[in-house]
Amino acid sequence: MFVGREAELERLTAAQARTPGGVLVVGEAGIGKSRLVGEFACRVDALVAEGGADPGSTAYAPFVPVLRRLVREHGPELVPGGGRRGLARLLPELGEVEDLPDLGTARLFEEILLLVERAAERRPLVLVLEDLHWADQASRDLLVFLLRNLMRPGVLIVATSREPLRLPGAEVIRVPPLGRDEVARLLGGADAGLREDLELVLARSEGNPLFVEALAGAGAGAATPASLRELLLAGAERLPQAGLDVLRIAAVAGRRTPHEVLRAVAGLDELALDEALRPVVRARLLLVDGDGYAFRHTLIRDAVYDDLLPGERRRLHARCAEAQPELAADHWFAAGDRPRAFQAAWRARRWHRVLDLWDQAGDEDHARVLELAARDALCEGDAVRAEELATRALDEVDDPLRAAHLLELRVAVRDLLGEEGLGDLREAVRLAPREARLIGALATTLAWNGEDAEARAHAEEALALGDAKSLVTLAALTALDGDLDASSKLYAQARAGAPDDDGLLASYASEADVLEAAGEHARAESVAREGIARARRLGLSRSRGAHLAANLAEPLTSQGRWKEAREVMRTALALDPPPIHRAWVLMVLGTVAVWEGAAAEAGEIVRLVRPLMRGRSRGYDSCLEPDLLECRLAVAPTTVGADLERAGRVIDHVLAEHDLTLSRRYAWPLLVLAARIGRVREAPAGLATTGRVQQAHQATFEAECGGSWAAAVACWRAVGQPYALGQALVRAAEQDRANARELLREAAAIAAGLGSEPLRLEAAAAAATLRVGLTDGQPLSARELEVLGLVAEGLSNRQIAERLFISARTSGVHVSNILAKLGAASRVEAAAMARRTGLI
C-alpha cells in the first residue's frame, strides 16, 4: 500500500513539468524512495527507463538498462554512426566498436546525450537511476554531465540515494519518516490486528515504511524480532518451500530477475513457477517489474542472500551462471569456480576480472590483457589506473612494434594527466620507425614544443607513409613561417582527406589558432564558427566543439567583442568539456575578466586552470599561458594598485624555468610584462617574430625598454586589437606630451566602448599626471569646482548642501556630474585626481 508522500509526489510532478532537469530523492534505507519514484512513474505520461547500481557494479552499470531501453524503443540511428563509435562499448548488441582514435569518455558521453535528447523529441522521458550511493565514479560523472548539458525539454532524471550527492541543478527531495496517521493507514492495509500495537510499531520502526511492513509481516501479537535481519526475513520464513526457493534464486540472480531466468534456475514449468511466485509477490517481497521481478527493497535481498548457507550460495550462483551468460563471470567467481569464471570473463571482455583470475590463464597474452584493461580504464575516465596498466604492459613486452603502440597509449593517458609525452613518442618511433601514425604524433608534439625543423621533417615522412593527419601539422608550421595562403591550402587538403571526425575538427581548430596568432581575427572567427557547426552535426560539441569555442572566443576577445565572447564561452563551459578543453576556454575567459577589471573572477580562473594545464603535455605555449594570465592580472591597475610583487614572482619563474625561444605565441607578451616591471631590458637571442600580432608585441617590448610608443600604437592600430591599442595610446601620451590630450581621449573612448575599468584607470591616471582633461573645454563649472573642493574635504552630500545652502539632491547631482567629467570611479579618486591636476 502506498500512503502519504503527497507533497513529494507533487514536487516530482512539478519537476516533470519544467524539464529538462533532475531530481535527487534522498533518504535512509527502507524509507520509501523507490516506492515514491515507482508511484510517480506509474502516473506520469512519459517513457520511463530504469536502471540502478549494486555494490561493486561495473562502470556505467546504472545506465546500461536505461540506454538499452531507449535503443530498443527508437533504434541506434538517433546518434551518428548508429552508436558504434561510443555506445557499443556499453551495448554490445550494437556491434563491434569502431576503432577510431577519438573514442573515450568524451565521445561516449556525447552519444548518450544525443540519444537521450533525440529520444525525448519523440516522447517525454523519465530516466530513473536507483541506489546511486553504490554507483561507480564513471556513472556519477556521466550523470553530472547529463544534468549540466541537457538543453531540450522533455527529459527528467530521477535518482535515488541514501546519502546526498553533489548533482548540479538537481532538486533534492528528502523523504521523511511516516507520521502516526500514515503508519496507522499502512498497518490497516497490512494486518488489522496490529492497530492495537500502533505505538509499539511506531516506536520500533521510527516511521520507516519497510520496517513497518516487516513488523506487520511478523504477525499480530508476535514478539518483535531482535535484529533487523530477523525483521526483514520475518515474511520470508512463512513462505511455502517452493516460494522460499524462488526468493533465494532471485537474491542470487541480481537486483532484477527476468521471469525466464527464474524458471530456468528453479527448473519449474510455467504453472509451477507461477504458484511458487504468487505468495512471494503477495507478501511484497518481490514486485512484478515488466517481464521480471525485483525486490521491494535492497535490504530484503541482502538479508535473504546473507541467510543462505555457503553451499547453497555456491550452487545457486553456478545455476545462475548458466542462465545469465552476461553475468556468468561474476556468478562463477562467487561460486568459487575460478576456471569457469576466467573463461566467462574472457568471453565477456571483462578484462579487469580476467586479471583478477590470471592464475587460471593458460598461454594467454598477459600484456595484451593489461593493454585492453588500460584502454577500458581510459574510456571510463580513470587515467591513473590506465597509466599503471599501460606501464605494466610495457614492462612485459619484448616486441618493438607492440611496445611502440603501448607507448602511444601511455602518451594519450598522460596527456589527460597534463604530463608531457615527447619522450615516449621518440622512443615509440625508434622502436617502430615505419609506423606513420606514430611519426605523425611525434611531429605534432614536436611542433607544440617549438622544435619546428624536426617537426616538419617527421610530418613530411609521416605524410609520405600515409598519415593524412600530418597535413594539419605541416599547415600549422607553414602558417608560423608566415605563408598563410599556402597554409590555408594545406588545411583544405587536410579536411578533404581527414580519416575521421576528430581529424577533421582538429584541422579547423588548428587553422583558427594560427590565424588568430597571425592577427587575422576575422578569418579566425569564420573558421572557428564553421568548425563548431561541424562539431555540432557530428555530435562532438562537448570535446572538439568546446576546443573550437575557445578558438572562436579568442578572436572575438581580440576584436573587443567581449560580450559575444562571454556568451560563446558560457555555452561551451555548460557542456562540461574534458579538462584540457575546459582549461583553454577558461584561459580566454580569464583574459576577458582581467581586461574588464573583474579581478576576483580572473583570480579564481587562475586557480582553476593551474592544475588543468600542469606540465607540458601540450607544449610550451600551453604551459606558459597560465603564467601570462596571472601576470596580466597582477599588473592590471585597480583602485588599490597593481600587485607587482606577485608579477615579479611569476616572471622570475618563467625566466628561470622556461626557454622562451620555444614559444611562438606567449614569449613576447610575457617579455612585455617583464620589461614593464623592470625584470628584463633585452629579449633572448633567437626569439621568433612571425605575424602582425607578434610584431606588435615586439614593438611594445622595445617601447617598454625605451623605444618609440608611437611605433607600438601604429602596430596595434594595424592589427585591430582595441585593448592593446588603448594601452599603447596611454604610454604614447606620456612620451608625446604635445599630443597627450588627443591620445588619452582616444584611449578613454576605447575604455568606455569596451567597458574596461583597468584601461579607464590608466587613462585617467595619465591625464591627472600630465594635467590634461579628457573632455572638451573647462571640465568643471565654477559651482562644480566649489563642490569638488568640499568633496576633497571629506564632506557628505548633505554636509555640502548645508555649506552651500542648496538641497542635498542638488549636491548629489553636482557630485555625479563631477565624477562623470573626471572619469573617476569614486569621491576619493575624484579628490585625488583634482589634487594631482591642480584643480583644487
Side-chain angles (χ1 to χ4, degrees):
M1 177 185 294
F2 182 78
V3 300
R5 312 303 192 207
E6 288 82 4
E8 290 77 17
L9 274 174
E10 287 179 7
R11 291 179 64 184
L12 284 168
T13 302
Q16 205 270 334
R18 59 175 183 269
T19 57
V23 175
L24 176 64
V25 180
V26 180
E28 65 182 32
I31 201 65
K33 303 182 294 296
S34 298
R35 188 71 184 90
L36 168 65
V37 173
E39 185 71 17
F40 167 70
C42 291
R43 300 183 185 188
V44 71
D45 182 17
L47 173 65
V48 179
E50 300 173 87
D54 278 319
S57 57
T58 58
Y60 306 114
F63 283 93
V64 170
V66 171
L67 301 174
R68 184 168 284 126
R69 174 71 188 280
L70 296 183
V71 168
R72 288 177 178 173
E73 190 79 16
H74 299 296
E77 296 77 18
L78 293 181
V79 298
R84 293 187 60 194
R85 297 175 179 176
L87 282 175
R89 287 189 177 276
L90 303 184
L91 306 179
E93 59 265 33
L94 297 181
E96 289 292 326
V97 182
E98 291 184 9
D99 187 16
L100 296 174
D102 64 328
L103 284 173
T105 305
R107 165 68 77 174
L108 177 65
F109 282 19
E110 286 165 13
E111 289 199 359
I112 292 173
L113 175 64
L114 279 174
L115 176 66
V116 170
E117 289 199 327
R118 291 179 180 177
E121 291 176 356
R122 304 185 178 191
R123 185 181 176 189
L125 294 179
V126 174
L127 309 183
V128 177
L129 303 170
E130 293 267 25
D131 297 325
L132 288 194
H133 49 274
W134 281 323
D136 59 287
Q137 190 58 51
S139 297
R140 295 190 186 193
D141 290 344
L142 174 55
L143 176 57
V144 169
F145 170 75
L146 291 175
L147 289 171
R148 283 177 172 166
N149 298 303
L150 282 167
M151 300 297 176
R152 296 181 181 176
V155 184
L156 177 66
I157 300 177
V158 180
T160 69
S161 175
R162 294 181 189 173
E163 58 195 34
L165 304 174
R166 296 182 63 181
L167 300 179
E171 179 182 358
V172 177
I173 297 178
R174 296 185 180 274
V175 182
L178 296 176
R180 181 186 302 274
D181 292 342
E182 293 166 329
V183 170
R185 287 167 56 196
L186 193 59
L187 289 176
D191 189 330
L194 275 175
R195 294 174 187 170
E196 300 174 1
D197 300 320
L198 173 60
E199 294 300 328
L200 177 61
V201 171
L202 187 61
R204 285 283 292 166
S205 69
E206 296 182 345
N208 185 301
L210 176 66
F211 302 158
V212 171
E213 292 185 343
L215 285 166
T224 303
S227 68
L228 174 60
R229 182 165 163 271
E230 292 176 1
L231 179 65
L232 295 172
L233 290 175
E237 290 174 350
R238 292 196 303 276
L239 291 173
Q241 187 60 46
L244 184 57
D245 289 344
V246 169
L247 185 67
R248 288 168 173 167
I249 292 170
V252 170
R255 62 177 295 114
R256 181 188 180 279
T257 309
H259 182 84
E260 286 302 312
V261 171
L262 277 180
R263 188 181 65 80
V265 177
L268 302 174
D269 60 31
E270 291 288 353
L271 290 178
L273 180 61
D274 288 345
E275 287 304 310
L277 278 167
R278 200 174 304 282
V280 181
V281 173
R282 188 181 298 120
R284 299 192 70 250
L285 296 167
L286 290 179
L287 305 176
V288 176
D289 183 18
D291 61 349
Y293 305 90
F295 278 89
R296 177 163 54 90
H297 198 281
T298 304
L299 288 178
I300 298 175
R301 178 194 168 197
D302 292 346
V304 174
Y305 186 87
D306 292 342
D307 196 50
L308 292 170
L309 297 174
E312 285 181 303
R313 192 175 301 162
R314 286 195 297 270
R315 289 192 298 273
L316 288 177
H317 272 297
R319 287 155 62 184
C320 285
E322 301 290 349
Q324 295 177 292
E326 71 279 7
L327 301 176
D330 295 331
H331 283 307
W332 287 124
F333 186 80
D337 192 332
R338 294 176 68 83
R340 287 185 175 180
F342 178 85
Q343 294 301 322
W346 188 278
R347 287 193 299 270
R349 301 172 64 85
R350 296 273 302 282
W351 305 119
H352 71 285
R353 179 67 79 191
V354 169
L355 291 173
D356 291 339
L357 295 161
W358 196 253
D359 61 302
Q360 302 300 313
D363 58 355
E364 287 85 358
D365 189 337
H366 187 246
R368 177 59 177 162
V369 174
L370 285 169
E371 177 186 354
L372 293 169
R375 293 186 184 279
D376 283 349
L378 183 60
C379 178
E380 293 163 11
D382 189 350
V384 174
R385 173 69 171 158
E387 182 184 30
E388 176 209 341
L389 291 166
T391 300
R392 286 172 57 192
L394 270 167
D395 292 339
E396 295 185 10
V397 297
D398 297 322
D399 178 72
L401 183 59
R402 289 187 62 188
H405 288 154
L406 283 167
L407 285 165
E408 182 186 20
L409 171 61
R410 194 166 69 176
V411 168
V413 173
R414 287 180 170 177
D415 183 58
L416 293 180
L417 296 171
E419 298 173 9
E420 182 183 22
L422 186 56
D424 276 355
L425 283 172
R426 286 191 187 277
E427 177 63 11
V429 171
R430 187 190 69 80
L431 293 170
R434 301 294 293 173
E435 284 287 296
R437 188 177 73 244
L438 293 177
I439 299 170
L442 175 58
T444 300
T445 306
L446 287 166
W448 285 342
N449 285 275
E451 303 287 350
D452 295 353
E454 189 180 358
R456 183 181 294 278
H458 283 296
E460 290 173 347
E461 180 184 1
L463 184 62
L465 291 172
D467 181 47
K469 284 187 174 182
S470 291
L471 275 169
V472 174
T473 302
L474 287 171
L477 291 170
T478 302
L480 291 173
D481 288 341
D483 193 345
L484 292 180
D485 291 336
S487 173
S488 291
K489 292 177 182 178
L490 288 171
Y491 279 119
Q493 292 178 34
R495 283 195 273 278
D500 50 52
D501 296 342
D502 189 68
L504 173 68
L505 297 177
S507 71
Y508 284 108
S510 178
E511 184 173 11
D513 184 65
V514 298
L515 287 170
E516 170 61 16
E520 298 292 332
H521 306 311
R523 290 174 62 187
E525 176 188 349
S526 177
V527 170
R529 288 191 186 280
E530 184 180 346
I532 288 172
R534 293 295 292 270
R536 188 178 298 116
R537 290 196 295 271
L538 292 169
L540 288 170
S541 293
R542 176 179 179 250
S543 52
R544 282 295 184 187
H547 183 181
L548 284 156
N551 292 127
L552 173 57
E554 194 169 11
L556 291 174
T557 299
S558 295
Q559 295 172 82
R561 295 155 61 186
W562 296 348
K563 288 183 179 180
E564 291 179 65
R566 276 190 174 275
E567 181 58 27
V568 168
M569 291 183 283
R570 184 198 65 77
T571 301
L573 291 173
L575 294 175
D576 190 26
I580 193 66
H581 297 150
R582 183 177 187 83
W584 290 335
V585 175
L586 286 172
M587 285 302 311
V588 184
L589 183 60
T591 300
V592 172
V594 169
W595 290 350
E596 286 179 336
E601 179 186 11
E604 177 64 11
I605 288 173
V606 169
R607 186 188 68 80
L608 291 173
V609 299
R610 283 292 187 191
L612 296 178
M613 300 182 76
R614 63 189 185 279
R616 295 176 181 169
S617 65
R618 296 296 172 114
Y620 268 83
D621 279 344
S622 183
C623 68
L624 284 174
E625 203 171 356
D627 294 326
L628 177 59
L629 176 60
E630 186 167 0
C631 281
R632 282 174 168 166
L633 174 61
V635 303
T638 66
T639 55
V640 297
D643 188 350
L644 299 185
E645 182 179 348
R646 178 185 183 185
R649 287 196 303 270
V650 177
I651 289 294
D652 290 344
H653 160 77
V654 168
L655 295 176
E657 300 296 331
H658 297 286
D659 182 354
L660 293 181
T661 63
L662 298 177
S663 172
R664 301 301 277 277
R665 291 202 62 179
Y666 304 121
W668 280 117
L670 280 163
L671 286 170
V672 167
L673 297 172
R676 184 172 302 174
I677 64 174
R679 285 301 200 271
V680 298
R681 300 303 294 173
E682 59 181 27
L687 191 62
T689 307
T690 303
R692 295 183 301 169
V693 172
Q694 296 305 312
Q695 291 165 3
H697 282 303
Q698 182 181 12
T700 306
F701 173 77
E702 291 170 353
E704 289 282 5
C705 295
S708 169
W709 278 103
V713 167
C715 286
W716 286 118
R717 202 181 295 282
V719 170
Q721 292 188 201
Y723 184 80
L725 172 61
Q727 288 186 307
L729 286 166
V730 172
R731 303 299 298 279
E734 297 169 352
Q735 202 173 60
D736 181 7
R737 297 205 170 202
N739 296 302
R741 184 167 178 271
E742 293 306 315
L743 293 169
L744 291 175
R745 286 183 64 193
E746 184 180 358
I750 291 173
L754 293 174
S756 173
E757 178 64 9
L759 184 55
R760 187 196 69 78
L761 288 171
E762 285 189 74
T769 300
L770 299 173
R771 295 179 177 269
V772 300
L774 297 180
T775 58
D776 291 323
Q778 173 64 31
L780 301 179
S781 67
R783 175 61 92 178
E784 286 168 344
L785 286 170
E786 192 175 11
V787 171
L788 179 58
L790 297 176
V791 168
E793 292 180 24
L795 273 61
S796 67
N797 286 355
R798 182 173 298 280
Q799 290 170 325
I800 292 172
E802 293 173 352
R803 182 78 64 87
L804 300 178
F805 302 101
I806 57 177
S807 69
R809 181 177 180 183
T810 301
S811 72
V813 170
H814 285 316
V815 171
S816 297
N817 290 339
I818 291 166
L819 296 179
K821 288 182 178 182
L822 293 180
S826 67
R827 300 163 74 97
V828 173
E829 184 182 345
M833 290 174 62
R835 291 191 181 96
R836 286 198 302 267
T837 57
L839 290 174
I840 58 173

